Amino acid sequence: MISRDKAPTAQETFMQMAQAAGLRGRLLVTVGILILVRLGIFLPVPGIDRARFAEAISGNNSIFGLLDIFSGRGLSTLGVFALGILPFINASIIIQLLTAAIPSLENLQKNEGEAGRRKISQITRYVSLGWAIIQSTAFSALFLQQFALNPGPIFVAETAIALTAGSMFVMWASELITERGIGNGASLLIFINIVASLPKSLGNTIELVQVRGQEIVGSVIVLVLLFLATIVGIVFVQEGIRRIPIISARRQVGRRVLAEQRSYLPLRLNQGGVMPIIFAAAILSLPSLIANVTKNEAVTRIVSNYLSPNGPNSWLYSLVYFVSIIFFSYFYSSLIVNPVDVAQNLKKMGSSIPGIRPGKATSEYIERVINRLTFLGALFLGLVAIIPTAVESNLPVKTFQGIGATSLLIIVGVAIDTAKQIQTYVISQRYEGMVKQ
């Protein structure tokens, strides 16, 4: 008999997935929706000269590279789902920022329970719709119109409607996965889009090895070792937790006296996940976007020389990128964990940290711990974002060019979270089977 304290092995997990109707149904829903969304990427938006568009976007990797990967190459193929889940992700980030600034939203999140969370989700959907309209209209009018077969207001309106509708369908599909499938729908859609880019990169590498032979074998080995080491590092940091011990005071409930209990407060090493890198990349892409829209020679020259990862002063770009990641790591960590709220909640529950007085002293202690953890996590994110790109730029092999550290962090993080959720379903169904017996 399997012990209750042990997590299910891989063999047990697969057997349970095959036998349990509930889990099997969730898996089929998830896979079916992912396939449907992938097919929608290849439904073309009409009225565009695709040869000219592909040529233009291939030379514009600094702006559209990351967005293209997140949309599963939907941007470069210009399908109906070209915007993908990005408007919903942007809306979620906006709502998170506004929740910390607007008391009414903060009250919905903290004090209204499930009803408040549903209201916030509804607001996020409306913001996603507005953001998709703005993004699709700007994209159609400022960029796509120059490749249109019949440019004009009608083309802009039709294209914006098509891209907005596609984005809303993808948002609905992601929520359907979250409710009736397995894992977080938005994260899984980004995950599958990034993974879809890997076969092409690997195919190009194999073709390059066949052409150049022994000349680049050493570079391929170095790149593979770097890739594996980065994955191991990401797993350790994503799973890294600082456990702060907590003691709950002895209390009396009726005639029973509950003994003193010991537990811990888990603080993650990387509170913000991949968000600091996404914020930093978005900020650094703005100068390139402004240069392309304004067509100003002076602005273009400054951006090309000083704010481009492929420019003559790429070290300056890397430095700004690194500092931005550290800044946004602290910023996002402050949004996720509020030391004052944590200290107040501990005091209300009659719990305390050994050797630390409740109240202000506890909040100051937690803040110091979070700052140290955030610094280590931010340092890791910055190194992961810069070192693989720097090494690859000095090698003749460009297997993962464009995929970057952001995509690698998302792949590993989503894989870990989804695997944990599957194991949770397996354990719950195994316990239900024991109860029925």
Side-chain angles (χ1 to χ4, degrees):
M1 184 177 232
I2 301 169
S3 172
R4 290 192 178 194
D5 297 328
K6 293 182 180 179
T9 63
Q11 182 179 359
E12 294 169 13
T13 301
F14 283 115
M15 288 180 61
Q16 192 75 29
M17 288 163 57
Q19 296 173 0
L23 183 57
R24 187 170 62 246
R26 285 181 171 271
L27 285 171
L28 291 176
V29 167
T30 303
V31 173
I33 293 176
L34 291 177
I35 292 174
L36 181 63
V37 173
R38 284 299 302 166
L39 291 176
I41 288 172
F42 301 100
L43 294 176
V45 174
I48 294 174
D49 187 342
R50 297 185 172 275
R52 288 175 53 214
F53 175 79
E55 182 180 353
I57 200 173
S58 64
N60 214 356
N61 290 331
S62 60
I63 300 174
F64 297 105
L66 186 62
L67 300 180
D68 192 28
I69 290 173
F70 279 8
S71 63
R73 303 298 180 187
L75 195 59
S76 57
T77 57
L78 205 58
V80 175
F81 293 171
L83 296 182
I85 197 66
L86 290 176
F88 179 70
I89 296 295
N90 293 332
S92 300
I93 294 172
I94 291 172
I95 293 300
Q96 283 183 346
L97 296 176
L98 291 179
T99 300
I102 301 177
S104 58
L105 289 178
E106 187 176 8
N107 181 64
L108 281 176
Q109 186 181 54
K110 291 184 176 180
N111 303 324
E112 296 296 329
E114 185 62 29
R117 283 189 287 272
R118 284 199 298 267
K119 287 183 180 179
I120 290 180
S121 298
Q122 189 66 22
I123 294 172
T124 304
R125 295 188 192 104
Y126 287 129
V127 175
S128 301
L129 175 60
W131 189 258
I133 292 173
I134 294 172
Q135 199 169 358
S136 59
T137 303
F139 187 52
S140 304
L142 299 178
F143 188 72
L144 291 182
Q145 193 165 202
Q146 58 185 309
F147 308 105
L149 300 177
N150 296 302
I154 296 178
F155 166 80
V156 173
E158 290 178 347
T159 305
I161 291 173
L163 294 178
T164 301
S167 178
M168 292 300 98
F169 180 86
V170 173
M171 181 187 72
W172 171 79
S174 71
E175 293 188 343
L176 197 61
I177 291 176
T178 303
E179 293 176 4
R180 302 186 181 182
I182 290 180
N184 181 280
S187 299
L188 277 174
L189 288 175
I190 295 178
F191 172 85
I192 202 69
N193 288 337
I194 296 171
V195 170
S197 305
L198 293 178
K200 182 179 179 181
S201 299
L202 294 175
N204 293 338
T205 302
I206 294 173
E207 184 179 350
L208 186 62
V209 171
Q210 291 175 344
V211 172
R212 299 180 62 175
Q214 298 294 328
E215 181 183 350
I216 62 168
V217 171
S219 298
V220 173
I221 294 174
V222 170
L223 196 61
V224 170
L225 292 177
L226 177 65
F227 179 70
L228 295 176
T230 304
I231 290 179
V232 172
I234 290 173
V235 171
F236 272 104
V237 173
Q238 290 290 91
E239 295 295 291
I241 293 176
R242 167 72 187 276
R243 298 184 178 184
I244 299 179
I246 295 175
I247 298 176
S248 298
R250 185 174 58 181
R251 47 188 182 148
Q252 184 172 354
V253 179
R255 295 184 178 181
R256 295 180 58 190
V257 177
L258 300 180
E260 181 182 274
Q261 296 181 348
R262 292 180 177 269
S263 58
Y264 63 87
L265 174 67
L267 295 177
R268 297 180 66 88
L269 179 61
N270 182 19
Q271 295 283 352
V274 74
M275 288 303 174
I277 290 184
I278 293 178
F279 285 174
I283 292 296
L284 287 178
S285 68
L286 287 179
S288 298
L289 183 61
I290 294 172
N292 277 266
V293 171
T294 60
K295 304 294 183 183
N296 187 289
E297 293 185 3
V299 175
T300 303
R301 185 167 57 253
I302 292 173
V303 172
S304 300
N305 291 335
Y306 300 103
L307 293 176
S308 172
N310 302 319
N313 296 294
S314 58
W315 64 270
L316 182 60
Y317 174 88
S318 299
L319 179 62
V320 175
Y321 192 26
F322 185 80
V323 173
S324 300
I325 290 173
I326 292 179
F327 170 77
F328 282 115
S329 294
Y330 277 97
F331 174 75
Y332 204 78
S333 177
S334 66
L335 295 179
I336 295 176
V337 181
N338 188 334
V340 176
D341 290 344
V342 174
Q344 290 178 351
N345 291 334
L346 289 176
K347 190 174 182 180
K348 289 177 182 177
M349 295 185 298
S351 303
S352 62
I353 300 173
I356 307 296
R357 296 185 63 182
K360 185 178 180 181
T362 298
S363 65
E364 290 176 350
Y365 173 78
I366 294 174
E367 186 176 5
R368 285 197 304 271
V369 173
I370 290 175
N371 286 337
R372 293 171 184 171
L373 292 175
T374 302
F375 177 75
L376 293 175
L379 193 64
F380 168 79
L381 287 180
L383 294 177
V384 166
I386 291 174
I387 290 179
T389 304
V391 172
E392 190 176 37
S393 63
N394 294 308
L395 295 176
V397 183
K398 308 296 181 185
T399 302
F400 304 106
Q401 190 175 35
I403 295 178
T406 304
S407 303
L408 202 57
L409 280 165
I410 292 174
I411 289 175
V412 176
V414 173
I416 291 173
D417 291 341
T418 306
K420 285 183 177 179
Q421 190 164 356
I422 291 175
Q423 282 193 342
T424 301
Y425 280 116
V426 170
I427 292 173
S428 63
Q429 292 193 2
R430 188 172 68 188
Y431 282 1
E432 288 177 4
M434 290 179 179
V435 172
K436 290 179 181 179
Q437 291 175 359

